[in-house]
Amino acid sequence: MSAEDVLAEVAALRDGDLPTHGGRTLAYVYDSGLAGLDELGAKAHALASSANGLDPTAFPSLLRMENDLVAAAAALLGGTPETVGSVTSGGTESCLLAVLAAREGRRDVAEPNMVLPTTVHAAFRKAAHLFGVRAVDVPVDPVTFRADPEAMAAAIDENTVLVVASAPSYAHGVVDPVAEIARAASAKGVRLHVDACIGGWVLPYLRRAGATVPPFDFTVPGVTSISVDLHKYAYCPKGVSVLLHADASLRRGHYFASADWPGYTMLNTTLQSTRSGGPLAAAWAVVRHVGDAGYERLARDTLAAVAEIRAGVEKVDGLRVLGSPDSTLLALALEGDPGFDLFTVADEMKDRGWYVQPQFAHGASPANLHLTITAANRGGEAAFVADLAASVAAAREAGPVVVGGELEQLIAALDPEQLTPEQFEGLLAGAGLTGGAGLPERMAQINALLAVAPARLRERLLLEFLGLLYRPPSR
Ligand SMILES: Cc1ncc(COP(=O)(O)O)c(C=O)c1O
């Protein structure tokens, strides 16, 4: 095939995706709205994508760009001359490495654990799963959804190698009381990681724009590491995050070397070995091009968009904003029992060209719709709120999706450990999730079913569904 035809096919395939620009997709994507920024990132990506970060002596350009990005992140987040870091492939990898470094820093602890607020990102569950560090879950305040520093302090024991706080949490957009948590952790000599994957590049600018942002960075004594994703609010092409450590000794545990084979001595700073220079160079270019003043302007626009959308949502009968968000993320829940359901609202929004992300109930947090608001939402707030109000009206008209009592009981009683892959496939087919044709147009019924499934069953069902999706096209 000619290059032209192949590219036309890629473009045609991409037409079936959610839009990544224009502010209509309120999860997964971050749009600055700045003309030319994508093109700049793409050009820089192309210039470096064949270079390999595996050997910084062979590709000193990548070493230089990584050191520059780490320095920029440290400057933004209260770093000191001792602050060091690593560029990783994304937020999950940064969080994984923070846990790995903490475990390796305490090789004397045979059964390590980490103390987590229940609102912490699922990346830490993955770290627990991969690295054998037990997650100790600490409930958050049921109204504000902020971590409870006293309960966290009480949960720290002699096997605790790490405490984690979010700035902010993904699900509710609230910044945990980092200063109090840090005090408790450092009093017990335990590391504190601040997961600022989503907030790290925007909270400092929101503060400059006049927002009240509680302290969360290295200016807080006791904070030992911070993760901040450049592919979120630094508006860089995907595949790039920074993990900062207060000093080099704290980073050492996620470095890895092996001379135990006949090839080159493998030396890795992150989980990856071969590392494309593409995302790094793209981020370096975007960060320098937008610049400090540029990020401040983007944050001002985002702050204004959040305020307008929040005020608009609060006027929609039957909806409320969960907790008291400190940043650019909102979670919309039902107010009382208003006679409609949020999963139908999400479908109605999709029909109107918006993607809002359903979040299932968890602990004190009811089912809700997540909004990641970016600079591109500035100017489109009224259209969003009008379509939201229309979607609520349509959902009210349709009435709430009901999962029959019998079916609900059946699902609640299913033990995922006892089900075979064939039984899962049958269940999924019954729900209309066959994999072949992707997702059904309307998701409300399926989401309502998933919502009544216990968490372990929901995980298994969705994993089996994933297995159906990732199959050769001919099958
Ligand atoms: C607070 C937080 N931590 C970690 C992550 C994981 O980041 P990624 O999806 O880049 O792996 C996210 C993603 O939204 C996040 O919001």
Side-chain angles (χ1 to χ4, degrees):
M1 282 178 83
S2 70
E4 219 171 56
D5 287 349
V6 173
L7 288 176
E9 272 204 22
V10 174
L13 286 170
R14 289 275 293 109
D15 280 346
D17 293 346
L18 291 174
T20 57
H21 289 94
R24 287 193 158 258
T25 303
L26 289 125
Y28 308 123
V29 302
Y30 301 80
D31 183 11
S32 68
L34 294 177
L37 200 61
D38 275 14
E39 290 72 16
L40 171 67
K43 278 189 183 151
H45 192 291
L47 284 172
S49 62
S50 56
N52 193 341
L54 169 57
D55 185 348
T57 65
F59 300 100
S61 67
L62 303 187
L63 176 62
R64 162 73 195 278
M65 288 191 270
E66 174 153 347
N67 280 334
D68 284 351
L69 282 177
V70 167
L76 192 60
L77 296 169
T80 70
E82 306 307 309
T83 308
V84 295
S86 293
V87 168
T88 76
S89 63
T92 298
E93 190 181 10
S94 291
C95 296
L96 291 177
L97 292 177
V99 176
L100 180 61
R103 188 193 75 178
E104 291 301 292
R106 289 295 311 276
R107 294 289 290 266
D108 57 307
V109 178
E111 291 183 8
N113 71 52
M114 56 183 160
V115 171
L116 309 174
T118 48
T119 46
V120 85
H121 192 277
F124 292 91
R125 314 266 152 217
K126 188 169 186 174
H129 169 71
L130 290 175
F131 302 142
V133 177
R134 189 168 64 84
V136 176
D137 294 308
V138 181
V140 300
D141 182 288
V143 176
T144 64
F145 302 105
R146 253 178 256 288
D148 173 347
E150 279 170 27
M152 291 195 60
I156 300 172
D157 66 21
E158 66 279 6
N159 292 329
T160 304
V161 298
L162 185 68
V163 176
V164 181
S166 309
S169 61
Y170 180 82
H172 306 102
V174 302
V175 176
D176 286 332
V178 172
E180 286 106 305
I181 297 169
R183 213 173 299 128
S186 73
K188 298 194 181 174
V190 177
R191 296 182 190 211
L192 173 64
H193 178 74
V194 175
D195 179 7
C197 278
I198 202 159
W201 212 273
V202 70
L203 289 171
Y205 293 108
L206 292 179
R207 192 183 277 144
R208 280 197 221 165
T212 306
V213 175
F216 70 94
D217 61 15
F218 285 119
T219 56
V220 176
V223 172
T224 55
S225 58
I226 303 179
S227 48
V228 51
D229 293 356
L230 302 179
H231 63 201
K232 293 193 169 81
Y233 282 96
Y235 298 108
C236 298
K238 295 213 185 311
V240 62
S241 167
V242 175
L243 174 61
L244 296 172
H245 297 277
D247 68 54
S249 72
L250 298 163
R251 179 177 63 178
R252 183 63 185 77
H254 68 70
Y255 275 19
F256 179 81
S258 180
D260 214 1
W261 73 308
Y264 56 87
T265 298
M266 195 169 84
L267 284 178
N268 298 153
T269 58
T270 67
L271 294 179
Q272 293 184 303
S273 192
T274 282
R275 283 198 295 158
S276 168
L280 173 69
W284 191 81
V286 165
V287 164
R288 284 165 66 90
H289 182 66
V290 176
D292 203 47
Y295 283 115
E296 189 176 327
R297 272 195 303 277
L298 291 170
R300 281 183 195 280
D301 278 352
T302 311
L303 188 62
V306 171
E308 230 173 274
I309 290 175
R310 189 172 174 176
V313 167
E314 275 159 3
K315 287 197 198 109
V316 177
D317 190 28
L319 289 185
R320 68 189 167 110
V321 171
L322 275 185
S324 183
D326 299 307
S327 64
T328 53
L329 316 171
L330 298 177
L332 317 185
L334 295 179
E335 177 86 80
D337 185 6
F340 62 90
D341 74 89
L342 289 171
F343 300 134
T344 305
V345 174
D347 283 347
E348 291 292 332
M349 285 297 272
K350 190 112 186 270
D351 289 348
R352 290 167 177 78
W354 301 92
Y355 179 79
V356 295
Q357 187 181 47
Q359 300 190 126
F360 294 108
H362 184 270
S365 180
N368 63 84
L369 298 175
H370 169 98
L371 310 181
T372 291
I373 296 165
T374 63
N377 289 106
R378 188 70 186 132
E381 301 91 337
F384 174 83
V385 173
D387 279 339
L388 184 65
S391 296
V392 165
R396 197 174 251 126
E397 173 103 13
V401 174
V402 274
V403 180
E406 242 172 66
L407 187 55
E408 193 167 333
Q409 275 173 12
L410 180 80
I411 290 170
L414 286 178
D415 176 0
E417 299 307 320
Q418 303 299 322
L419 291 174
T420 64
E422 292 70 32
Q423 286 170 317
F424 271 113
E425 217 163 311
L427 267 173
L428 289 167
L433 294 172
T434 54
L439 286 175
E441 275 299 301
R442 308 283 293 184
M443 285 295 294
Q445 193 70 43
I446 292 164
N447 279 326
L449 271 176
L450 290 170
V452 295
R456 294 294 83 76
L457 177 63
R458 194 188 313 143
E459 288 166 355
R460 278 297 303 275
L461 277 169
L462 290 173
L463 283 180
E464 296 300 333
F465 175 57
L466 208 58
L468 295 179
L469 288 179
Y470 286 105
R471 281 185 178 185
S474 58
R475 274 170 66 187

